[in-house]
Amino acid sequence: MLYEMKLPLRLDADVTSECWTFYRMAVTGAYPQMESWLINHLNQLFIDPHCEIHYGFYGRKYNPYYAYEEVIETREKPLKELPDGRSFINYVIRCLEDGCYPLVEFDFHTLFDEEGTEEPNIHELLLYGFDEKGFWFPNLEKGRWVERHAPFDKMAAAFLLRKNMGAEKEQRQFWRRLYLYPFTLLRPRLDFAEPVNLYEFKNDLDAILSNACIRCDRIQEEKQSAGDYYNGILAIYNRMLLLAADIKEGNFLKQENVYNLALNTKRLYEYNSLFVKRIQLLRKRIELPCFGTLQAELDDLRERSQGIYLMAIKYRRTRSVRDLDQMKDLIYFAFCIQNGIIRKVRDELEQYLLAGPADISAQTV
């Protein structure tokens, strides 16, 4: 029987639509003691000038280096400090045995025998286990994260190509990254015991209810661009309705509409499922009057959000205006439900805090 070692990993993480977020949520989701961390984190969405939804606020995605610092210790190593060949494999094995999850950039053409251009196809993989023949890692296939295995020699060759791909290609890769180095170690903080900050949660609800638009100048790949970024659920739902109307008018393939309708609606469904989970986690810690009747509304929100996503997938196949109109109706009803839930919880939480100790540190549970 082959020797096998795997660190805990949750493939059905709460966030799967962003790879860099999935990797970290797959780690934290495997440790039940970190569940309460969700109440005060990753709770904002914004929509960019291309009508793409992202986790973050005011046009800035959550920084994967700092956003998880309470639950994950992040360490990075420059490529020049890493060995090649079997020495690289042995180093990664030692990291796994030490309880760290290596997040490593590889050339996918080499790793998966992909056909195509001669240009490297560089992407990161989260390694979470090994046996006598190779490493285990999650891989996105047909919209789902699944467990994959690759032999050591393939992994070493794919890493070596990434390591030696040249200064010009390295600079292009630099602009794509949301972390500092192409080799990162994630170590879960198993002693995590952060209390839930109720004041912060109330302020987050206020931010979700906001309807903000800001204009940002951005530099990406040495090119400067400006655009409007929208925050708050009213803005998100309004932009989604405008997006659907734009598609209905036949503008789906216009260059300025660089978006993926199914991915947007999946991210909204994912976010609303997380919102429902946060309310349920909060119920375990405090009691508010609205909690007695809220579950049906929470279930309705999750069901309608899933319906939006499924209708978007159906529309991609049928291009039916009727499907698009049904999706728009679901978007409207989901907003009404969510807006009502947030206002109830926010108002009652405010009264709870006003009736409690004045010391903000005492309002953590």
Side-chain angles (χ1 to χ4, degrees):
M1 183 176 180
L2 288 176
Y3 172 76
E4 182 177 277
M5 179 268 184
K6 290 182 181 178
L7 295 173
L9 195 79
R10 183 184 165 196
L11 285 172
D12 62 336
D14 291 307
V15 176
T16 61
S17 62
E18 292 178 346
C19 59
W20 60 92
T21 305
F22 165 77
Y23 289 143
R24 290 155 178 86
M25 296 290 278
V27 172
T28 60
Y31 298 91
Q33 67 267 37
M34 298 181 183
E35 190 176 50
S36 63
W37 175 84
L38 285 171
I39 295 179
N40 289 133
H41 298 86
L42 298 183
N43 43 25
Q44 302 292 333
L45 288 179
F46 72 89
I47 194 162
D48 71 14
H50 303 295
C51 282
E52 294 182 25
I53 294 176
H54 306 277
Y55 289 93
F57 49 93
Y58 298 112
R60 298 187 67 87
K61 299 176 185 178
Y62 285 112
N63 186 318
Y65 192 92
Y66 297 109
Y68 306 86
E69 59 186 348
E70 295 96 341
V71 285
I72 294 177
E73 175 191 352
T74 302
R75 292 186 289 121
E76 298 163 316
K77 289 183 73 69
L79 286 174
K80 63 182 181 180
E81 294 183 10
L82 294 165
D84 301 330
R86 186 66 206 192
S87 296
F88 168 73
I89 298 301
N90 291 339
Y91 176 73
V92 172
I93 288 175
R94 289 197 299 272
C95 292
L96 288 164
E97 290 177 333
D98 192 38
C100 292
Y101 297 74
L103 185 57
V104 190
E105 287 187 352
F106 294 95
D107 173 48
F108 275 26
H109 286 331
T110 302
L111 187 59
F112 297 121
D113 295 321
E114 292 181 348
E115 296 181 358
T117 66
E118 295 182 359
E119 285 289 310
N121 178 17
I122 306 300
H123 203 282
E124 70 268 23
L125 287 177
L126 181 73
L127 309 181
Y128 70 98
F130 65 93
D131 57 21
E132 295 177 8
K133 295 184 176 181
F135 289 119
W136 294 97
F137 54 89
N139 194 49
L140 187 62
E141 298 179 7
K142 298 181 180 179
R144 295 178 61 248
W145 289 93
V146 297
E147 183 180 69
R148 284 288 300 269
H149 182 274
F152 290 137
D153 58 344
K154 281 274 190 180
M155 302 292 277
F159 176 72
L160 183 62
L161 192 146
R162 165 63 188 93
K163 185 179 178 182
N164 298 328
M165 67 180 185
E168 182 181 345
K169 296 174 183 177
E170 177 66 51
Q171 187 173 23
R172 288 203 299 269
Q173 190 66 16
F174 172 84
W175 284 103
R176 294 181 55 199
R177 272 202 303 276
L178 285 175
Y179 52 90
L180 299 179
Y181 291 106
F183 187 97
T184 306
L185 292 174
L186 307 180
R187 182 190 295 276
R189 298 186 186 275
L190 302 181
D191 58 349
F192 170 78
E194 181 190 21
V196 175
N197 190 313
L198 299 180
Y199 278 89
E200 185 179 355
F201 185 74
K202 189 264 179 188
N203 291 336
D204 287 337
L205 293 179
D206 287 334
I208 295 170
L209 284 173
S210 71
N211 182 17
C213 173
I214 63 170
R215 188 164 184 82
C216 294
D217 289 330
R218 289 291 161 83
I219 297 176
Q220 181 68 23
E221 297 188 13
E222 300 181 321
K223 297 178 182 178
Q224 187 167 356
S225 63
D228 294 332
Y229 295 79
Y230 296 84
N231 280 74
I233 62 163
L234 177 58
I236 296 292
Y237 282 106
N238 274 341
R239 298 300 295 175
M240 288 293 289
L241 288 172
L242 289 173
L243 171 64
D246 197 39
I247 295 171
K248 188 175 179 178
E249 292 298 318
N251 296 328
F252 184 76
L253 296 178
K254 279 192 175 181
Q255 183 61 34
E256 61 267 26
N257 287 335
V258 184
Y259 48 69
N260 183 315
L261 182 64
L263 180 59
N264 268 0
T265 54
K266 178 181 181 179
R267 194 156 291 159
L268 183 65
Y269 170 46
E270 192 175 69
Y271 172 82
N272 284 347
S273 296
L274 261 176
F275 170 78
V276 170
K277 185 173 184 176
R278 288 189 184 97
I279 299 298
Q280 293 170 335
L281 289 170
L282 189 65
R283 290 181 64 179
K284 296 178 181 179
R285 288 158 177 80
I286 64 171
E287 186 58 45
L288 299 178
C290 67
F291 284 166
T293 59
L294 209 58
Q295 189 57 52
E297 294 175 63
L298 293 171
D299 291 341
D300 196 13
L301 173 63
R302 186 156 44 192
E303 182 178 334
R304 290 182 187 272
S305 300
Q306 184 183 37
I308 295 169
Y309 171 48
L310 294 177
M311 196 58 65
I313 293 176
K314 183 179 179 182
Y315 172 77
R316 289 184 63 185
R317 186 180 70 253
T318 66
R319 290 295 195 269
S320 166
V321 172
R322 181 180 177 182
D323 293 337
L324 203 59
D325 287 339
Q326 287 182 352
M327 187 187 75
K328 290 168 61 179
D329 290 342
L330 287 169
I331 290 172
Y332 172 76
F333 287 121
F335 165 74
C336 292
I337 295 166
Q338 190 168 15
N339 183 58
I341 293 172
I342 294 174
R343 292 184 183 278
K344 286 178 189 176
V345 174
R346 185 201 61 175
D347 292 347
E348 293 188 9
L349 181 57
E350 182 175 297
Q351 293 303 310
Y352 178 92
L353 293 170
L354 288 171
D359 181 8
I360 189 170
S361 65
Q363 287 301 330
T364 56
V365 291

